[in-house]
Amino acid sequence: MSDHTVHRLPRPQGLTASLTIGALVHVLAALVYGGLSLLRLEGCDRADGLAAGWALAVLLDLLLGGVLLAGALRRTNGNRWAVLAGWALTLVPFGVLVRIVMLYIANLPSGCA
């Protein structure tokens, strides 16, 4: 008799999978911000358009990240610490990027000069 079972590759779990998924969510948010900043949503004040695009990108990042994190925590088999550590490690470069962008937006001149 032959074995007709399908051998599937194991689904990535743990620290590496969380790092990858978390980084992809942050990259998606950065792409949304880049796309919105190219649209020039501002009127007279350039900082308003950039701040609105940044707010939408961060909102997308938090909502999508929260849903994916909840799903990852639900699928783990005792590796919750690895999932949480992976997501926490992806927040470090994201936090640095948030600080840089917020300083840039705060230093833009205002008005229609």
Side-chain angles (χ1 to χ4, degrees):
M1 292 212 141
S2 63
D3 184 16
H4 293 291
T5 59
V6 176
H7 298 285
R8 295 184 184 177
L9 293 174
R11 204 186 278 185
Q13 292 181 345
L15 185 65
T16 305
S18 295
L19 278 169
T20 304
I21 294 169
L24 289 175
V25 168
H26 298 318
V27 167
L28 177 66
L31 290 174
V32 166
Y33 174 68
L36 290 175
S37 66
L38 290 176
L39 289 177
R40 302 283 182 199
L41 298 173
E42 71 273 355
C44 280
D45 200 355
R46 184 169 180 227
D48 289 344
L50 291 176
W54 185 249
L56 288 172
V58 169
L59 184 66
L60 170 78
D61 186 80
L62 292 175
L63 289 175
L64 185 59
V67 169
L68 291 175
L69 178 61
L73 286 172
R74 187 172 285 161
R75 284 185 313 185
T76 61
N77 298 328
N79 287 334
R80 288 180 182 256
W81 69 270
V83 172
L84 293 174
W87 281 89
L89 287 174
T90 63
L91 289 176
V92 172
F94 183 69
V96 171
L97 181 64
V98 166
R99 180 73 177 148
I100 291 169
V101 170
M102 293 309 289
L103 284 174
Y104 172 73
I105 291 172
N107 289 329
L108 287 175
S110 63
C112 293

